[in-house]
Amino acid sequence: MSILKKTKLTLSSIKKRKNGEKITMITAYDALFAKLFDPYIDIILVGDSLSMSFGGDDDTLGISLDEMIYHTKAVCKGASNSIIIFDMPFGTYIDGATALKNAQKVYQNTKAHAVKIEGGEDKAHIIKHLTSNGIAVMAHVGLLPQSVRFEGGYKVKGKSEEEEKQLLRDIKAVEEAGAFCVVIEGVKSEVATKMSQSVNIPTIGIGAGNKTDGQVLVWSDAFGFFEDFIPKFAKRYMEGGKLIQNALKEYVDEVKTGEFPSEEHCY
Ligand code: KIV
């Protein structure tokens, strides 16, 4: 099967993929990587994970709306066929009016197709306010990285009957509020499967088993560039960090020995 994407995707083409061809999503934070990913991937998420993998923070809470806008502008310049999602940072959607003001700023300053919001039943009124004012929303339920300090760590969800019931209420609530798609993060596989089956919008999993309608990974996890810790769900498709260091060592060595630049690299 050819995985080269030839046509420009739209939110409605993504919505039609419920129970169909799997949706692929990856993060990117700049034009360089967005351009590399664009021909092959359906959705590029400018995730607030950039504050960890790009900015060196311990969690995602420190990134600002303007910093996210800067990176999203760059991603939009690199990717012309993928759907681009703007991850609303911590504190930018505390109520409907604040969320709308900030999301409008995102639409006015970037070419992102939609914004992503963490939260379920408790954030449904905010999603409703955005969607009824012309902002497309990808929801994010289950383990919520922006709640890491509040919860005292990254805790996998769906381990008790009570949690399962809440997760099912969460996903239903974000669907009813008008989200076009939903990320399910860090949820026991059987529960994530039930969640996915309970809604008509596509679900995209990360640490949520393989029965969701698609998958998302943070690029630096997937390609071996983020080495502080490796989450269980993150398959490494290459050892990028090691490859870069080996190439760098070769360059340093050649400069020191005078092998570089050789005739072919001189004017
Ligand atoms: O910020 C991010 O990269 C995310 C993914 C983990 C889904 O929200």
Side-chain angles (χ1 to χ4, degrees):
M1 184 172 74
S2 165
I3 54 163
L4 189 64
K5 189 182 72 201
K6 297 193 181 65
T7 50
K8 197 173 172 69
L9 291 169
T10 60
L11 294 190
S12 38
S13 60
I14 295 293
K15 277 200 260 183
K16 287 189 193 127
R17 305 262 286 270
K18 178 74 190 171
N19 298 321
E21 184 191 342
K22 291 268 187 185
I23 300 165
T24 59
M25 172 159 134
I26 195 152
T27 64
Y29 315 124
D30 57 48
L32 190 72
F33 277 85
K35 197 169 180 179
L36 289 174
F37 300 157
D38 189 47
Y40 304 102
I41 203 85
D42 298 322
I43 305 180
I44 295 180
L45 169 66
V46 189
D48 59 359
S49 53
L50 88 81
S51 64
M52 295 175 77
S53 60
F54 185 92
D57 286 345
D58 292 337
D59 59 34
T60 61
L61 276 62
I63 194 94
S64 71
L65 192 76
D66 287 339
E67 286 167 327
M68 289 292 299
I69 287 176
Y70 169 81
H71 284 271
T72 305
K73 276 185 180 172
V75 167
C76 293
K77 283 182 210 159
S80 45
N81 286 325
S82 308
I83 295 296
I84 296 168
I85 309 289
F86 181 99
D87 208 2
M88 294 291 281
F90 178 69
T92 62
Y93 52 98
I94 48 168
D95 54 46
T98 309
L100 183 59
K101 184 170 129 293
N102 288 327
Q104 281 168 338
K105 185 170 175 186
V106 172
Y107 266 10
Q108 281 159 352
N109 288 279
T110 78
K111 294 198 168 108
H113 298 82
V115 300
K116 180 166 80 61
I117 295 234
E118 292 186 14
E121 213 176 13
D122 59 329
K123 295 290 184 304
H125 64 291
I126 294 172
I127 297 176
K128 178 93 196 142
H129 193 56
L130 292 177
T131 54
S132 57
N133 280 285
I135 308 279
V137 177
M138 173 181 275
H140 182 153
V141 298
L143 186 159
L144 307 177
Q146 290 177 9
S147 301
V148 64
R149 293 191 204 170
F150 178 75
E151 297 214 338
Y154 297 105
K155 309 239 164 80
V156 173
K157 299 287 152 100
K159 288 184 169 171
S160 66
E161 210 176 305
E162 210 175 302
E163 271 186 8
E164 176 176 331
K165 281 186 186 153
Q166 184 59 56
L167 288 165
L168 287 164
R169 281 199 297 272
D170 285 338
I171 200 157
K172 204 70 210 161
V174 300
E175 176 183 40
E176 283 168 7
F180 78 95
C181 186
V182 53
V183 168
I184 306 178
E185 177 165 2
V187 171
K188 298 281 287 175
S189 305
E190 325 77 73
V191 177
T193 303
K194 284 189 203 167
M195 290 167 74
S196 193
Q197 287 166 349
S198 74
V199 290
N200 293 312
I201 52 172
T203 56
I204 301 190
I206 175 162
N210 70 358
K211 298 288 189 294
T212 49
D213 301 299
Q215 294 289 329
V216 55
L217 280 177
V218 172
W219 82 263
S220 44
D221 288 338
F223 304 139
F225 286 91
F226 188 70
E227 306 201 307
D228 293 358
F229 68 90
I230 306 167
K232 180 174 160 66
F233 58 77
K235 180 167 176 185
R236 284 167 86 117
Y237 288 86
M238 67 183 276
E239 294 299 329
K242 290 193 179 69
L243 281 175
I244 298 263
Q245 280 181 327
N246 287 340
L248 181 75
K249 280 191 257 175
E250 206 178 318
Y251 162 63
V252 168
D253 194 48
E254 287 192 4
V255 169
K256 290 196 171 167
T257 59
E259 196 180 326
F260 175 80
S262 60
E263 195 79 12
E264 59 170 317
H265 298 111
C266 294
Y267 294 106

